[in-house]
């Protein structure tokens, strides 16, 4: 009967999926994270929480007087392909990249939509966006409210709000797993092979995040104090 065949089929698909992720993991390790974790491979059989293009700016970057420091420290807004799965936000150069450029841990993070007057307008329209398409900026913040990244999305469908909802779900899932591990309930954690793979890649690529830019406070602290004979 069909029900009798369902069990063996599921087991066969599971084994095939595990073999594919094992091969991808081997490629990821062999190339030191340069391949083996493409968008397609991270999607796996269960898909992702979120996917889309966004301009990404590291840090708060509200100090206009110190734009020169932003330029020298690589703190500029560039267009990337973003994918959320498991407990991380993966940042790709484009949708065809063999591996993410870096990953951002989402545990204890929140995404906050900014008012329209605080939105960063990209110089080049996003893929699929018209020249008159509006944009929305989202701050990825720590639990203390510090801005770690700024994401700017084209207003096509509900992209910004979907991103915020996906961050909330991923952050909550990561916190739940952390508590279960702390309580010794790891045996209750049952994740798909694709989810385990995504979390492993995320942990490895989180080390490749760009450094936080130099802020105004750090710049001022590094400047010599002006004495009586100063400027």
């Amino acid at each position: 009967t069909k029900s009798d065949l369902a069990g063996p089929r599921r087991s066969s698909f599971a084994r095939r999926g595990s073999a594919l992720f094992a091969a991808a993991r081997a490629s990821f390790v062999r190339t030191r994270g340069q391949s083996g974790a493409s968008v397609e491979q991270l999607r796996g059989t269960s898909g992702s929480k979120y996917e889309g293009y966004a301009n990404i700016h590291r840090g708060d970057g509200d100090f206009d007087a110190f734009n020169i420091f932003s330029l020298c420290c690589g703190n500029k807004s560039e267009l990337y392909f973003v994918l959320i799965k498991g407990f991380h936000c993966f940042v790709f150069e484009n949708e065809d990249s063999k591996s993410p450029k870096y990953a951002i841990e989402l545990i204890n993070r929140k995404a906050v939509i900014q008012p329209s007057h605080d939105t960063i307008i990209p110089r080049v329209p996003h893929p699929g966006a018209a020249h008159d398409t509006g944009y929305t900026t989202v701050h990825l913040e720590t639990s203390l409210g510090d801005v770690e990244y700024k994401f700017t999305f084209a207003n096509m469908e509900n992209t910004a709000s979907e991103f915020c909802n996906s961050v909330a779900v991923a952050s909550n899932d990561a916190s739940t797993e952390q508590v279960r591990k702390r309580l010794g309930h790891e045996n209750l954690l049952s994740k798909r092979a694709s989810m385990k793979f995504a979390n492993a890649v995320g942990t490895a690529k989180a080390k490749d995040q760009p450094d936080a830019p130099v802020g105004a406070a750090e710049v001022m602290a590094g400047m010599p104090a002006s004495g009586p004979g100063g400027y």
Side-chain angles (χ1 to χ4, degrees):
T1 64
K2 290 184 178 180
S3 58
D4 293 332
L5 294 173
R9 282 179 180 171
R10 279 196 294 268
S11 298
S12 176
F13 288 141
R15 286 194 299 271
R16 192 180 308 166
S18 296
L20 290 173
F21 288 115
R25 186 192 296 266
S27 175
F28 183 79
V29 172
R30 185 175 63 254
T31 62
R32 297 183 180 182
Q34 299 306 304
S35 68
S38 66
V39 170
E40 192 67 32
Q41 287 167 317
L42 283 176
R43 283 177 186 146
T45 55
S46 57
S48 60
K49 286 188 177 76
Y50 174 85
E51 292 183 26
Y53 280 95
N55 284 84
I56 303 178
H57 183 89
R58 182 71 160 108
D60 197 351
D62 286 335
F63 308 108
D64 292 337
F66 298 97
N67 276 341
I68 185 170
F69 293 99
S70 296
L71 292 173
C72 74
C73 299
N75 181 25
K76 56 183 179 179
S77 177
E78 296 182 358
L79 184 64
Y80 294 103
F81 186 80
V82 175
L83 181 149
I84 294 179
K85 182 160 185 174
F87 309 147
H88 298 82
C89 173
F90 297 92
V91 179
F92 292 84
E93 290 281 3
N94 55 64
E95 199 171 353
D96 299 321
S97 299
K98 295 180 179 179
S99 182
K101 185 178 179 69
Y102 59 91
I104 305 168
E105 292 180 324
L106 295 179
I107 187 170
N108 299 325
R109 300 294 187 275
K110 58 182 178 180
V112 182
I113 292 179
Q114 300 304 298
S116 58
H117 61 267
D118 286 335
T119 291
I120 301 170
I121 306 300
R123 296 177 182 176
V124 180
H126 288 194
H131 285 280
D132 59 349
T133 297
Y135 290 84
T136 298
T137 294
V138 174
H139 287 183
L140 185 65
E141 304 177 358
T142 66
S143 56
L144 297 177
D146 295 325
V147 178
E148 290 195 327
Y149 290 90
K150 292 182 178 181
F151 292 78
T152 297
F153 302 93
N155 292 341
M156 298 184 292
E157 301 179 355
N158 297 316
T159 307
S161 59
E162 286 178 1
F163 176 81
C164 292
N165 292 337
S166 298
V167 168
V169 171
S171 180
N172 182 67
D173 288 348
S175 297
T176 299
E177 175 157 302
Q178 186 181 68
V179 171
R180 286 179 174 175
K181 284 184 176 179
R182 191 177 300 150
L183 296 175
H185 297 165
E186 293 185 60
N187 58 320
L188 298 178
L189 304 174
S190 59
K191 295 192 291 290
R192 293 174 177 266
S194 64
M195 192 67 74
K196 291 179 180 178
F197 175 66
N199 287 337
V201 172
T203 300
K205 297 300 288 186
K207 301 172 185 176
D208 294 336
Q209 292 182 75
D211 294 332
V214 177
E218 289 85 350
V219 172
M220 294 300 293
M223 289 183 174
S226 57
Y231 294 101

